[in-house]
């Protein structure tokens, strides 16, 4: 396989350096402990000793080195009863990545700290014809403005979550049809504009990554993730603990699965696709909300007693249920996570998310699956985009620190 076609799962996997020399073992231990702190939040040295099976003095030395490198802060515990206190190791929130998510109606930019914490965010409205170079220029200016408010923070790179197909190896957008982008080297353009090492990948996969590391999919080895946004519906699957990527990283296009035989034509060239039938724009229009008030969509749909709104919500839920049925039958997940406007649609239906699980799904797969709304709201794409950067940092903390000294 050509390196440029390396799938996203390879990129996002935290890969400590291999080998068994003393230096390599030390670097592996730095990776192991920083990965735990990133995913679980602050942990005491005693917790780290228990979770890693490393001995106490090794954990102490590794935590001290991570603190010296600027990745963690060690603080005394807030309360302890007896014996020697075990210092608590916190992710250092001054270690950050720039996250960018272009959408059809706005460019969202965030500064995300180690630990998946969004420190600052901004959104700039764009027109439907915005070119890739215009979006990159806006995002770079926003990133610099946000960073100017965060003095002393170290930027380790930038991640871009694109609503379309992206070649992870070089961040080339192959096709983002809603944006009107074809073969745009977006990661290279942002890197040239900012000087930050930049990665790009499919937005839905990155949102799924955020939910998998920090949210409703945490610790779940088999789940299906479906997210709806202004640009359509995307998704992904984790099977056996691994992201299902397909041959070149383009798997998971749940929005382009077929749900209606006489359906509308879709951007992809087919007809009857889920994302051509169920749209955020139509749901917003039903309750007279502008795109900027997307956060109000769920409550507004739920509060409406208009027969036309109730009928439209029921129709959309039924169409989403067909896609969920297909995914449950194909992947036998233990959890299905609905995110973005699909979570708002379920809230608007007045039913628990599990009500969308259709009786037509195969019984054996149906009885062991639960459907949940995503834990993260709008921040999931920023947190996921930052993971493109943090995967490399976590794999080799000391190597990355020296490269960004
Ligand atoms: Zn389609």
């Amino acid at each position: 396989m050509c390196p440029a076609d390396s799938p996203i799962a390879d990129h996002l996997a935290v890969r400590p350096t291999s080998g068994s020399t003393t230096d390599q073992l030390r670097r592996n231990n730095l990776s192991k402990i920083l990965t735990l702190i990133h995913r679980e939040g602050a942990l005491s040295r005693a917790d780290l000793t228990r979770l890693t099976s490393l001995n106490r003095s090794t954990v102490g030395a590794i935590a001290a080195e991570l603190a010296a490198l600027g990745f963690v802060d060690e603080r005394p515990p807030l309360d302890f009863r007896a014996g020697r206190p075990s210092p608590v190791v916190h992710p250092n929130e001054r270690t950050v990545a720039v996250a960018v998510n272009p959408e059809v109606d706005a460019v969202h930019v965030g500064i995300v700290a180690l630990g998946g914490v969004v420190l600052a965010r901004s959104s700039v409205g764009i027109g439907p014809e915005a070119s890739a170079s215009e979006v990159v220029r806006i995002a770079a200016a926003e990133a610099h403005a946000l960073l100017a408010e965060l003095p002393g923070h170290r930027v380790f790179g930038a991640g871009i979550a694109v609503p379309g197909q992206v070649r992870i190896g070089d961040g080339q957008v192959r096709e983002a049809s809603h944006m009107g982008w074809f073969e745009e080297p977006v990661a290279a353009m942002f890197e040239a504009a900012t000087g930050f090492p930049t990665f790009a990948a499919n937005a839905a996969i990155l949102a799924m990554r955020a939910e998998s590391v920090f949210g409703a999919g945490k610790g779940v080895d088999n789940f299906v993730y479906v997210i709806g946004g202004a640009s359509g519906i995307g998704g992904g699957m984790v099977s056996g603990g691994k992201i299902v990527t397909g041959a070149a990283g383009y798997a998971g296009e749940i929005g382009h699965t077929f749900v209606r035989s006489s359906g509308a034509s879709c951007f992809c060239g087919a007809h009857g696709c889920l994302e051509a039938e169920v749209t955020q724009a139509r749901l917003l229009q039903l309750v007279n909300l502008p795109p900027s008030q997307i956060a109000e969509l769920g409550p507004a749909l739920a509060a409406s007693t208009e027969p036309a709104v109730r009928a439209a919500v029921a129709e959309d839920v039924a169409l989403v249920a067909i896609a969920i049925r297909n995914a449950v039958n194909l992947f036998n997940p233990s959890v299905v996570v609905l995110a973005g406007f699909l979570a708002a649609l379920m809230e608007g239906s007045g039913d628990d998310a599990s009500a969308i699980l259709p009786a037509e799904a195969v019984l054996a797969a149906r009885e062991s699956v639960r459907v949940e709304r995503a834990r993260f709201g709008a921040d999931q794409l920023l947190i996921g985009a930052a993971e493109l950067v943090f995967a490399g940092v976590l794999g080799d903390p000391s190597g990355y620190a020296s490269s960004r000294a």
Side-chain angles (χ1 to χ4, degrees):
M1 181 187 287
C2 146
D5 278 335
S6 303
I8 186 169
D10 279 351
H11 178 90
L12 287 170
V14 173
R15 293 188 193 286
T17 52
S18 59
S20 59
T21 65
T22 307
D23 181 57
Q24 282 163 335
L25 285 174
R26 181 187 63 83
R27 287 163 74 169
N28 286 353
N29 288 337
L30 288 168
S31 169
K32 191 185 283 186
I33 288 187
L34 189 59
T35 302
L36 265 173
I37 300 290
H38 175 62
R39 294 182 176 176
E40 304 298 328
L43 291 167
S44 69
R45 282 192 188 183
D47 288 334
L48 289 167
T49 302
R50 182 173 48 80
L51 291 168
T52 60
S53 303
L54 295 169
N55 68 47
R56 214 172 131 165
S57 62
T58 301
V59 167
I62 293 292
E65 184 171 355
L66 288 171
L69 290 169
F71 290 123
V72 301
D73 291 320
E74 289 201 275
R75 303 175 204 160
L78 287 177
D79 77 294
F80 61 95
R81 294 196 177 93
R84 280 197 303 166
S86 178
V88 178
V89 186
H90 295 253
N92 184 338
E93 291 198 352
R94 292 179 302 281
T95 298
V96 301
V98 171
V100 178
N101 168 227
E103 268 285 358
V104 287
D105 52 0
V107 187
H108 309 283
V109 181
I111 308 300
V112 184
L114 204 62
V117 178
V118 180
L119 300 180
R121 60 179 74 68
S122 71
S123 297
V124 178
I126 56 170
E129 305 301 322
S131 68
S133 59
E134 189 180 348
V135 165
V136 163
R137 185 181 52 74
I138 292 169
E142 285 300 303
H144 285 304
L146 292 174
L147 287 166
E149 301 293 315
L150 297 167
H153 289 62
R154 275 197 307 172
V155 181
F156 279 80
I160 307 178
V162 181
Q165 280 96 46
V166 183
R167 188 168 58 210
I168 183 72
D170 58 1
Q172 171 94 357
V173 176
R174 303 295 314 280
E175 176 180 350
S177 47
H178 296 270
M179 310 288 298
W181 297 355
F182 297 91
E183 300 297 351
E184 295 282 1
V186 167
M189 291 157 71
F190 193 77
E191 185 161 332
T194 61
F196 303 137
T198 302
F199 309 93
N202 173 269
I205 295 287
L206 294 176
M208 178 174 78
R209 167 71 171 203
E211 208 66 38
S212 171
V213 173
F214 301 109
K218 187 171 180 176
V220 180
D221 278 345
N222 293 281
F223 78 102
V224 167
Y225 181 82
V226 194
I227 180 170
S231 302
I233 296 173
M237 296 77 61
V238 170
S239 184
K242 294 192 170 71
I243 296 175
V244 176
T245 62
Y250 308 136
E253 291 288 357
I254 291 169
H256 295 286
T257 53
F258 187 58
V259 295
R260 177 132 78 187
S261 57
S262 57
S265 58
C266 179
F267 272 101
C268 74
H271 70 278
C273 295
L274 176 65
E275 75 165 42
E277 296 295 319
V278 179
T279 69
Q280 176 173 301
R282 176 163 168 262
L283 288 169
L284 285 167
Q285 202 177 22
L286 276 174
V287 285
N288 296 315
L289 283 175
S292 60
Q293 288 180 35
I294 181 67
E296 303 304 314
L297 179 61
L301 289 172
S304 175
T305 54
E306 289 274 329
V309 174
R310 302 305 341 143
V313 167
E315 184 184 29
D316 279 2
V317 167
L319 291 167
V320 175
I322 294 172
I324 301 293
R325 179 184 78 187
N326 292 338
V328 166
N329 286 346
L330 282 170
F331 294 103
N332 181 206
S334 50
V335 179
V336 175
V337 178
L338 297 176
F341 84 80
L342 296 176
L345 174 66
M346 287 316 296
E347 184 183 353
S349 76
D351 283 326
D352 181 77
S354 290
I356 203 166
L357 195 63
E360 292 92 342
V362 169
L363 175 65
R366 190 175 79 228
E367 64 189 8
S368 60
V369 63
R370 65 179 197 274
V371 183
E372 292 189 5
R373 285 196 258 151
R375 194 158 308 166
F376 294 112
D379 281 346
Q380 63 206 340
L381 285 157
L382 299 176
I383 295 168
E387 285 289 295
L388 286 169
V389 177
F390 290 139
V393 175
L394 298 173
D396 184 14
S398 58
Y400 243 80
S402 54
S403 75
R404 300 297 295 168

